[in-house]
Amino acid sequence: MSHGARVIRTEVSSGGPAGPPPDSVASSSAGSDAELMDGAYFRSCAGMLKVAQMISLLIGFISVNNSVWTDYSAYSFFQIVTMCDLVMILFFYIMHIFRVYRKLNCVSWPLAEFLHYLIGTILLLIGSIVAANKSYNLTGLVAGATFGFLATILCVISMWSSYKVSCTTQSTSK
């Protein structure tokens, strides 16, 4: 029962076609490193998704913060999770804009960002569920939980679009 070898492909390629000669590599890298900011990341889908996540987390935090609380532990957890997620997304956004990942290559930045999204999304989902359950139809608390769910969906979309893995079956010749 031969099923063939399975190949897992990701969006990121570690290898690729041979680069240009060393003369042009030095001149092209000097030009790209001279720019302080990556202007293309502002307009990219990933950059706009990070901004949408930060805005929805901030609105959720402000909505809950300015409401009358009925359960201190539920909403303090929601506030802590939203602020920690907001700070980490801002950290990775700044890291991409200023190209810090090129200078600090001792850290696996894609793995660090993936783990942040994985843990942060799970905690944000739990916090949003608890906040929605304890809202007692108070508009500010319902709005905060709603924006928490929106931020959770945006984080899942960002994680899925950045780290999707496609499995294909490759036949082996004997």
Side-chain angles (χ1 to χ4, degrees), residues 1 39 42 62-63 89 109-110 114 137:
M1 190 155 90
F42 287 118
I62 291 172
S63 297
I89 291 171
W109 290 108
F114 176 75
N137 292 330

Short mmCIF file of all heavy atoms in Angstrom, two decimals, residues 1 39 42 62-63 89 109-110 114 137:
data_model
loop_
_atom_site.label_atom_id
_atom_site.label_comp_id
_atom_site.label_asym_id
_atom_site.label_seq_id
_atom_site.Cartn_x
_atom_site.Cartn_y
_atom_site.Cartn_z
N MET A 1 0.84 -1.16 0.00
CA MET A 1 0.00 0.00 0.00
C MET A 1 0.90 1.24 0.00
O MET A 1 1.35 1.69 1.03
CB MET A 1 -0.87 -0.04 1.25
CG MET A 1 -1.94 0.99 1.23
SD MET A 1 -3.33 0.51 2.24
CE MET A 1 -2.89 1.18 3.79
N GLY A 39 8.52 51.50 3.73
CA GLY A 39 7.25 52.13 3.36
C GLY A 39 6.25 51.18 2.74
O GLY A 39 5.05 51.39 2.82
N PHE A 42 3.64 49.53 5.25
CA PHE A 42 2.47 50.31 5.63
C PHE A 42 1.26 49.92 4.77
O PHE A 42 0.15 49.80 5.26
CB PHE A 42 2.71 51.82 5.44
CG PHE A 42 3.62 52.42 6.44
CD1 PHE A 42 4.80 52.99 6.06
CD2 PHE A 42 3.27 52.44 7.79
CE1 PHE A 42 5.64 53.58 6.98
CE2 PHE A 42 4.10 53.03 8.72
CZ PHE A 42 5.29 53.60 8.32
N ILE A 62 -10.97 50.45 25.69
CA ILE A 62 -11.58 51.71 26.12
C ILE A 62 -13.05 51.49 26.48
O ILE A 62 -13.55 52.07 27.45
CB ILE A 62 -11.40 52.80 25.04
CG1 ILE A 62 -9.93 53.20 24.95
CG2 ILE A 62 -12.28 54.01 25.33
CD1 ILE A 62 -9.60 54.11 23.79
N SER A 63 -13.75 50.67 25.70
CA SER A 63 -15.17 50.41 25.99
C SER A 63 -15.34 49.76 27.36
O SER A 63 -16.23 50.13 28.13
CB SER A 63 -15.78 49.50 24.91
OG SER A 63 -15.75 50.12 23.67
N ILE A 89 1.52 43.34 19.35
CA ILE A 89 1.27 43.60 17.93
C ILE A 89 1.98 44.87 17.51
O ILE A 89 2.58 44.94 16.42
CB ILE A 89 -0.25 43.66 17.65
CG1 ILE A 89 -0.85 42.27 17.81
CG2 ILE A 89 -0.52 44.19 16.24
CD1 ILE A 89 -2.36 42.23 17.77
N TRP A 109 12.18 35.20 14.03
CA TRP A 109 11.07 36.14 14.14
C TRP A 109 9.75 35.56 13.65
O TRP A 109 8.72 35.81 14.29
CB TRP A 109 11.42 37.43 13.41
CG TRP A 109 12.48 38.19 14.13
CD1 TRP A 109 13.78 38.35 13.74
CD2 TRP A 109 12.36 38.85 15.40
NE1 TRP A 109 14.47 39.07 14.67
CE2 TRP A 109 13.61 39.39 15.71
CE3 TRP A 109 11.32 39.02 16.30
CZ2 TRP A 109 13.85 40.11 16.87
CZ3 TRP A 109 11.55 39.74 17.46
CH2 TRP A 109 12.81 40.27 17.73
N PRO A 110 9.71 34.81 12.56
CA PRO A 110 8.42 34.22 12.17
C PRO A 110 7.86 33.28 13.24
O PRO A 110 6.66 33.28 13.51
CB PRO A 110 8.74 33.46 10.88
CG PRO A 110 9.93 34.14 10.33
CD PRO A 110 10.73 34.59 11.52
N PHE A 114 4.46 33.88 15.32
CA PHE A 114 3.45 32.83 15.29
C PHE A 114 3.03 32.42 16.70
O PHE A 114 1.84 32.29 16.99
CB PHE A 114 3.97 31.61 14.52
CG PHE A 114 3.02 30.45 14.53
CD1 PHE A 114 1.90 30.47 13.73
CD2 PHE A 114 3.25 29.35 15.34
CE1 PHE A 114 1.01 29.40 13.74
CE2 PHE A 114 2.37 28.29 15.36
CZ PHE A 114 1.24 28.31 14.55
N ASN A 137 -25.91 42.75 29.50
CA ASN A 137 -26.51 43.69 28.53
C ASN A 137 -26.15 45.15 28.79
O ASN A 137 -26.89 46.04 28.40
CB ASN A 137 -28.02 43.51 28.46
CG ASN A 137 -28.41 42.19 27.84
OD1 ASN A 137 -27.68 41.67 26.99
ND2 ASN A 137 -29.53 41.64 28.26
#
